[in-house]
Amino acid sequence: MLLRRLFLATLALLMSAAVPAADQYDVEIIVYASLDPDTGEEYWPALQSGPDLASAWYFDHTPALQPLPRKAYRLDAITGALARSRQYRPLLHFAWRQPGWERNAALPVRINIPLGSALPVYPESHPLRAPGTVTAPSGLASESAFRGEMQLLEGTLMVYRSRYLHLVADLVYQERLGPSADSSPYGEDGGIVYQPIRLQQSRRMRSNELHYLDHPRLGVIARITPVEATEASEDKTEETPDSSPTE
């Protein structure tokens, strides 16, 4: 009996190793802010540097990052629930398709939402395309790219595959505090002081599951789906016969 179990376990391992990993993945992301975080008297220092924006890519910099249409989104119900909540504010909801890169080949996606944008931002209203003055990544130091016009949300998201899928997030959210004060260490725009909140995390993920990156002020909800699974689900839906009564 023991030998049989060992044989079956070995056979299952060999079969799973023989199945090729997906070449393409659909990545869907929701970024949200907490409106009433329970952080007590916690102090958030002013940032001395920011995410490495100079090495990140807008969608129109490379065909390897393909933005998905809204009809392909699967997390609209979650965005709607966040928008109706008094505790959270959805900032960004978007999705893209990319290869299953290894870490040293992965391309970070660049995020930037200007202050005053209608929230949540979808690709139709702000398609995360490069402004006319921005060029492709040049490898410059992160500080040189970060110190510019203040953005409500700015940073990078990167997905890569090793033994598991991984999501790496480095985001800065400007939380509104109120009218400016001479003693404030934070940045301001139009006489309003904003406190920078940075979320910098890496998370191991499983495909087809929801994952969360937690922070007292800022959060990310992510789902990564192998393209084969996505297309199989769509094909099955299209092939389902119409069960409505006929005359």
Side-chain angles (χ1 to χ4, degrees), residues 207-222:
S207 60
N208 299 310
E209 294 183 5
L210 281 180
H211 291 266
Y212 301 83
L213 277 64
D214 297 323
H215 184 283
R217 295 287 215 274
L218 191 65
V220 175
I221 301 173

mmCIF file with all atom_site columns, all heavy atoms in Angstrom, residues 207-222:
data_model
loop_
_atom_site.group_PDB
_atom_site.id
_atom_site.type_symbol
_atom_site.label_atom_id
_atom_site.label_alt_id
_atom_site.label_comp_id
_atom_site.label_asym_id
_atom_site.label_entity_id
_atom_site.label_seq_id
_atom_site.pdbx_PDB_ins_code
_atom_site.Cartn_x
_atom_site.Cartn_y
_atom_site.Cartn_z
_atom_site.occupancy
_atom_site.B_iso_or_equiv
_atom_site.pdbx_formal_charge
_atom_site.auth_seq_id
_atom_site.auth_comp_id
_atom_site.auth_asym_id
_atom_site.auth_atom_id
_atom_site.pdbx_PDB_model_num
ATOM 1   N N   . SER A 1 207 ? -2.997  31.987 -8.927  1.00 0.00 ? 207 SER A N   1
ATOM 2   C CA  . SER A 1 207 ? -3.868  32.442 -10.004 1.00 0.00 ? 207 SER A CA  1
ATOM 3   C C   . SER A 1 207 ? -5.322  32.133 -9.675  1.00 0.00 ? 207 SER A C   1
ATOM 4   O O   . SER A 1 207 ? -5.637  31.208 -8.914  1.00 0.00 ? 207 SER A O   1
ATOM 5   C CB  . SER A 1 207 ? -3.474  31.771 -11.322 1.00 0.00 ? 207 SER A CB  1
ATOM 6   O OG  . SER A 1 207 ? -3.586  30.364 -11.225 1.00 0.00 ? 207 SER A OG  1
ATOM 7   N N   . ASN A 1 208 ? -6.222  32.959 -10.222 1.00 0.00 ? 208 ASN A N   1
ATOM 8   C CA  . ASN A 1 208 ? -7.673  32.810 -10.073 1.00 0.00 ? 208 ASN A CA  1
ATOM 9   C C   . ASN A 1 208 ? -8.162  33.031 -8.643  1.00 0.00 ? 208 ASN A C   1
ATOM 10  O O   . ASN A 1 208 ? -9.272  32.621 -8.302  1.00 0.00 ? 208 ASN A O   1
ATOM 11  C CB  . ASN A 1 208 ? -8.142  31.430 -10.557 1.00 0.00 ? 208 ASN A CB  1
ATOM 12  C CG  . ASN A 1 208 ? -7.842  31.202 -12.025 1.00 0.00 ? 208 ASN A CG  1
ATOM 13  O OD1 . ASN A 1 208 ? -8.161  32.036 -12.870 1.00 0.00 ? 208 ASN A OD1 1
ATOM 14  N ND2 . ASN A 1 208 ? -7.204  30.081 -12.331 1.00 0.00 ? 208 ASN A ND2 1
ATOM 15  N N   . GLU A 1 209 ? -7.349  33.668 -7.801  1.00 0.00 ? 209 GLU A N   1
ATOM 16  C CA  . GLU A 1 209 ? -7.762  33.970 -6.435  1.00 0.00 ? 209 GLU A CA  1
ATOM 17  C C   . GLU A 1 209 ? -7.591  35.461 -6.162  1.00 0.00 ? 209 GLU A C   1
ATOM 18  O O   . GLU A 1 209 ? -6.716  36.107 -6.735  1.00 0.00 ? 209 GLU A O   1
ATOM 19  C CB  . GLU A 1 209 ? -6.933  33.172 -5.421  1.00 0.00 ? 209 GLU A CB  1
ATOM 20  C CG  . GLU A 1 209 ? -7.156  31.674 -5.469  1.00 0.00 ? 209 GLU A CG  1
ATOM 21  C CD  . GLU A 1 209 ? -6.366  30.939 -4.397  1.00 0.00 ? 209 GLU A CD  1
ATOM 22  O OE1 . GLU A 1 209 ? -5.718  31.619 -3.562  1.00 0.00 ? 209 GLU A OE1 1
ATOM 23  O OE2 . GLU A 1 209 ? -6.395  29.696 -4.394  1.00 0.00 ? 209 GLU A OE2 1
ATOM 24  N N   . LEU A 1 210 ? -8.448  35.992 -5.264  1.00 0.00 ? 210 LEU A N   1
ATOM 25  C CA  . LEU A 1 210 ? -8.309  37.378 -4.841  1.00 0.00 ? 210 LEU A CA  1
ATOM 26  C C   . LEU A 1 210 ? -7.199  37.488 -3.801  1.00 0.00 ? 210 LEU A C   1
ATOM 27  O O   . LEU A 1 210 ? -7.104  36.663 -2.893  1.00 0.00 ? 210 LEU A O   1
ATOM 28  C CB  . LEU A 1 210 ? -9.615  37.895 -4.233  1.00 0.00 ? 210 LEU A CB  1
ATOM 29  C CG  . LEU A 1 210 ? -10.722 38.313 -5.200  1.00 0.00 ? 210 LEU A CG  1
ATOM 30  C CD1 . LEU A 1 210 ? -11.932 38.790 -4.414  1.00 0.00 ? 210 LEU A CD1 1
ATOM 31  C CD2 . LEU A 1 210 ? -10.251 39.403 -6.149  1.00 0.00 ? 210 LEU A CD2 1
ATOM 32  N N   . HIS A 1 211 ? -6.391  38.524 -3.936  1.00 0.00 ? 211 HIS A N   1
ATOM 33  C CA  . HIS A 1 211 ? -5.330  38.777 -2.969  1.00 0.00 ? 211 HIS A CA  1
ATOM 34  C C   . HIS A 1 211 ? -5.361  40.251 -2.578  1.00 0.00 ? 211 HIS A C   1
ATOM 35  O O   . HIS A 1 211 ? -5.757  41.112 -3.370  1.00 0.00 ? 211 HIS A O   1
ATOM 36  C CB  . HIS A 1 211 ? -3.968  38.414 -3.555  1.00 0.00 ? 211 HIS A CB  1
ATOM 37  C CG  . HIS A 1 211 ? -3.781  36.941 -3.753  1.00 0.00 ? 211 HIS A CG  1
ATOM 38  N ND1 . HIS A 1 211 ? -3.178  36.132 -2.822  1.00 0.00 ? 211 HIS A ND1 1
ATOM 39  C CD2 . HIS A 1 211 ? -4.142  36.128 -4.781  1.00 0.00 ? 211 HIS A CD2 1
ATOM 40  C CE1 . HIS A 1 211 ? -3.160  34.888 -3.262  1.00 0.00 ? 211 HIS A CE1 1
ATOM 41  N NE2 . HIS A 1 211 ? -3.736  34.859 -4.448  1.00 0.00 ? 211 HIS A NE2 1
ATOM 42  N N   . TYR A 1 212 ? -4.937  40.523 -1.346  1.00 0.00 ? 212 TYR A N   1
ATOM 43  C CA  . TYR A 1 212 ? -4.986  41.870 -0.796  1.00 0.00 ? 212 TYR A CA  1
ATOM 44  C C   . TYR A 1 212 ? -3.599  42.288 -0.325  1.00 0.00 ? 212 TYR A C   1
ATOM 45  O O   . TYR A 1 212 ? -2.881  41.497 0.289   1.00 0.00 ? 212 TYR A O   1
ATOM 46  C CB  . TYR A 1 212 ? -5.957  41.941 0.386   1.00 0.00 ? 212 TYR A CB  1
ATOM 47  C CG  . TYR A 1 212 ? -7.374  41.552 0.049   1.00 0.00 ? 212 TYR A CG  1
ATOM 48  C CD1 . TYR A 1 212 ? -7.762  40.216 0.027   1.00 0.00 ? 212 TYR A CD1 1
ATOM 49  C CD2 . TYR A 1 212 ? -8.331  42.525 -0.253  1.00 0.00 ? 212 TYR A CD2 1
ATOM 50  C CE1 . TYR A 1 212 ? -9.060  39.847 -0.291  1.00 0.00 ? 212 TYR A CE1 1
ATOM 51  C CE2 . TYR A 1 212 ? -9.635  42.167 -0.566  1.00 0.00 ? 212 TYR A CE2 1
ATOM 52  C CZ  . TYR A 1 212 ? -9.992  40.827 -0.582  1.00 0.00 ? 212 TYR A CZ  1
ATOM 53  O OH  . TYR A 1 212 ? -11.279 40.468 -0.894  1.00 0.00 ? 212 TYR A OH  1
ATOM 54  N N   . LEU A 1 213 ? -3.254  43.535 -0.603  1.00 0.00 ? 213 LEU A N   1
ATOM 55  C CA  . LEU A 1 213 ? -2.077  44.162 -0.021  1.00 0.00 ? 213 LEU A CA  1
ATOM 56  C C   . LEU A 1 213 ? -2.591  45.203 0.957   1.00 0.00 ? 213 LEU A C   1
ATOM 57  O O   . LEU A 1 213 ? -3.271  46.159 0.554   1.00 0.00 ? 213 LEU A O   1
ATOM 58  C CB  . LEU A 1 213 ? -1.196  44.812 -1.093  1.00 0.00 ? 213 LEU A CB  1
ATOM 59  C CG  . LEU A 1 213 ? -0.218  43.890 -1.839  1.00 0.00 ? 213 LEU A CG  1
ATOM 60  C CD1 . LEU A 1 213 ? -0.952  42.836 -2.639  1.00 0.00 ? 213 LEU A CD1 1
ATOM 61  C CD2 . LEU A 1 213 ? 0.691   44.701 -2.753  1.00 0.00 ? 213 LEU A CD2 1
ATOM 62  N N   . ASP A 1 214 ? -2.308  44.999 2.234   1.00 0.00 ? 214 ASP A N   1
ATOM 63  C CA  . ASP A 1 214 ? -2.914  45.806 3.287   1.00 0.00 ? 214 ASP A CA  1
ATOM 64  C C   . ASP A 1 214 ? -1.986  46.913 3.758   1.00 0.00 ? 214 ASP A C   1
ATOM 65  O O   . ASP A 1 214 ? -0.768  46.749 3.817   1.00 0.00 ? 214 ASP A O   1
ATOM 66  C CB  . ASP A 1 214 ? -3.283  44.921 4.482   1.00 0.00 ? 214 ASP A CB  1
ATOM 67  C CG  . ASP A 1 214 ? -4.330  43.884 4.117   1.00 0.00 ? 214 ASP A CG  1
ATOM 68  O OD1 . ASP A 1 214 ? -5.214  44.224 3.320   1.00 0.00 ? 214 ASP A OD1 1
ATOM 69  O OD2 . ASP A 1 214 ? -4.249  42.752 4.619   1.00 0.00 ? 214 ASP A OD2 1
ATOM 70  N N   . HIS A 1 215 ? -2.610  48.025 4.130   1.00 0.00 ? 215 HIS A N   1
ATOM 71  C CA  . HIS A 1 215 ? -1.925  49.178 4.691   1.00 0.00 ? 215 HIS A CA  1
ATOM 72  C C   . HIS A 1 215 ? -2.996  49.973 5.434   1.00 0.00 ? 215 HIS A C   1
ATOM 73  O O   . HIS A 1 215 ? -4.156  49.991 5.014   1.00 0.00 ? 215 HIS A O   1
ATOM 74  C CB  . HIS A 1 215 ? -1.301  50.013 3.561   1.00 0.00 ? 215 HIS A CB  1
ATOM 75  C CG  . HIS A 1 215 ? -0.479  51.176 4.033   1.00 0.00 ? 215 HIS A CG  1
ATOM 76  N ND1 . HIS A 1 215 ? -1.042  52.344 4.487   1.00 0.00 ? 215 HIS A ND1 1
ATOM 77  C CD2 . HIS A 1 215 ? 0.865   51.352 4.101   1.00 0.00 ? 215 HIS A CD2 1
ATOM 78  C CE1 . HIS A 1 215 ? -0.076  53.193 4.822   1.00 0.00 ? 215 HIS A CE1 1
ATOM 79  N NE2 . HIS A 1 215 ? 1.081   52.612 4.599   1.00 0.00 ? 215 HIS A NE2 1
ATOM 80  N N   . PRO A 1 216 ? -2.658  50.630 6.550   1.00 0.00 ? 216 PRO A N   1
ATOM 81  C CA  . PRO A 1 216 ? -3.691  51.381 7.280   1.00 0.00 ? 216 PRO A CA  1
ATOM 82  C C   . PRO A 1 216 ? -4.396  52.443 6.452   1.00 0.00 ? 216 PRO A C   1
ATOM 83  O O   . PRO A 1 216 ? -5.552  52.769 6.707   1.00 0.00 ? 216 PRO A O   1
ATOM 84  C CB  . PRO A 1 216 ? -2.901  52.023 8.429   1.00 0.00 ? 216 PRO A CB  1
ATOM 85  C CG  . PRO A 1 216 ? -1.729  51.125 8.630   1.00 0.00 ? 216 PRO A CG  1
ATOM 86  C CD  . PRO A 1 216 ? -1.372  50.624 7.258   1.00 0.00 ? 216 PRO A CD  1
ATOM 87  N N   . ARG A 1 217 ? -3.725  52.999 5.435   1.00 0.00 ? 217 ARG A N   1
ATOM 88  C CA  . ARG A 1 217 ? -4.307  54.087 4.656   1.00 0.00 ? 217 ARG A CA  1
ATOM 89  C C   . ARG A 1 217 ? -4.634  53.707 3.213   1.00 0.00 ? 217 ARG A C   1
ATOM 90  O O   . ARG A 1 217 ? -5.424  54.371 2.560   1.00 0.00 ? 217 ARG A O   1
ATOM 91  C CB  . ARG A 1 217 ? -3.343  55.282 4.615   1.00 0.00 ? 217 ARG A CB  1
ATOM 92  C CG  . ARG A 1 217 ? -3.067  55.953 5.935   1.00 0.00 ? 217 ARG A CG  1
ATOM 93  C CD  . ARG A 1 217 ? -4.263  56.770 6.392   1.00 0.00 ? 217 ARG A CD  1
ATOM 94  N NE  . ARG A 1 217 ? -3.895  57.974 7.096   1.00 0.00 ? 217 ARG A NE  1
ATOM 95  C CZ  . ARG A 1 217 ? -3.637  58.045 8.387   1.00 0.00 ? 217 ARG A CZ  1
ATOM 96  N NH1 . ARG A 1 217 ? -3.664  56.956 9.107   1.00 0.00 ? 217 ARG A NH1 1
ATOM 97  N NH2 . ARG A 1 217 ? -3.346  59.196 8.959   1.00 0.00 ? 217 ARG A NH2 1
ATOM 98  N N   . LEU A 1 218 ? -3.989  52.684 2.701   1.00 0.00 ? 218 LEU A N   1
ATOM 99  C CA  . LEU A 1 218 ? -4.066  52.375 1.274   1.00 0.00 ? 218 LEU A CA  1
ATOM 100 C C   . LEU A 1 218 ? -4.107  50.867 1.094   1.00 0.00 ? 218 LEU A C   1
ATOM 101 O O   . LEU A 1 218 ? -3.501  50.128 1.863   1.00 0.00 ? 218 LEU A O   1
ATOM 102 C CB  . LEU A 1 218 ? -2.839  52.965 0.567   1.00 0.00 ? 218 LEU A CB  1
ATOM 103 C CG  . LEU A 1 218 ? -2.818  52.999 -0.961  1.00 0.00 ? 218 LEU A CG  1
ATOM 104 C CD1 . LEU A 1 218 ? -3.905  53.926 -1.487  1.00 0.00 ? 218 LEU A CD1 1
ATOM 105 C CD2 . LEU A 1 218 ? -1.442  53.480 -1.446  1.00 0.00 ? 218 LEU A CD2 1
ATOM 106 N N   . GLY A 1 219 ? -4.834  50.406 0.076   1.00 0.00 ? 219 GLY A N   1
ATOM 107 C CA  . GLY A 1 219 ? -4.918  48.973 -0.151  1.00 0.00 ? 219 GLY A CA  1
ATOM 108 C C   . GLY A 1 219 ? -4.978  48.637 -1.628  1.00 0.00 ? 219 GLY A C   1
ATOM 109 O O   . GLY A 1 219 ? -5.343  49.474 -2.463  1.00 0.00 ? 219 GLY A O   1
ATOM 110 N N   . VAL A 1 220 ? -4.622  47.398 -1.950  1.00 0.00 ? 220 VAL A N   1
ATOM 111 C CA  . VAL A 1 220 ? -4.664  46.890 -3.321  1.00 0.00 ? 220 VAL A CA  1
ATOM 112 C C   . VAL A 1 220 ? -5.374  45.547 -3.307  1.00 0.00 ? 220 VAL A C   1
ATOM 113 O O   . VAL A 1 220 ? -5.078  44.681 -2.470  1.00 0.00 ? 220 VAL A O   1
ATOM 114 C CB  . VAL A 1 220 ? -3.248  46.729 -3.910  1.00 0.00 ? 220 VAL A CB  1
ATOM 115 C CG1 . VAL A 1 220 ? -3.318  46.077 -5.292  1.00 0.00 ? 220 VAL A CG1 1
ATOM 116 C CG2 . VAL A 1 220 ? -2.535  48.069 -3.987  1.00 0.00 ? 220 VAL A CG2 1
ATOM 117 N N   . ILE A 1 221 ? -6.324  45.375 -4.216  1.00 0.00 ? 221 ILE A N   1
ATOM 118 C CA  . ILE A 1 221 ? -6.986  44.095 -4.446  1.00 0.00 ? 221 ILE A CA  1
ATOM 119 C C   . ILE A 1 221 ? -6.571  43.630 -5.832  1.00 0.00 ? 221 ILE A C   1
ATOM 120 O O   . ILE A 1 221 ? -6.634  44.399 -6.796  1.00 0.00 ? 221 ILE A O   1
ATOM 121 C CB  . ILE A 1 221 ? -8.514  44.225 -4.360  1.00 0.00 ? 221 ILE A CB  1
ATOM 122 C CG1 . ILE A 1 221 ? -8.927  44.751 -2.984  1.00 0.00 ? 221 ILE A CG1 1
ATOM 123 C CG2 . ILE A 1 221 ? -9.191  42.886 -4.643  1.00 0.00 ? 221 ILE A CG2 1
ATOM 124 C CD1 . ILE A 1 221 ? -10.408 45.078 -2.880  1.00 0.00 ? 221 ILE A CD1 1
ATOM 125 N N   . ALA A 1 222 ? -6.128  42.386 -5.942  1.00 0.00 ? 222 ALA A N   1
ATOM 126 C CA  . ALA A 1 222 ? -5.582  41.907 -7.210  1.00 0.00 ? 222 ALA A CA  1
ATOM 127 C C   . ALA A 1 222 ? -6.079  40.506 -7.513  1.00 0.00 ? 222 ALA A C   1
ATOM 128 O O   . ALA A 1 222 ? -6.290  39.691 -6.615  1.00 0.00 ? 222 ALA A O   1
ATOM 129 C CB  . ALA A 1 222 ? -4.055  41.922 -7.170  1.00 0.00 ? 222 ALA A CB  1
#
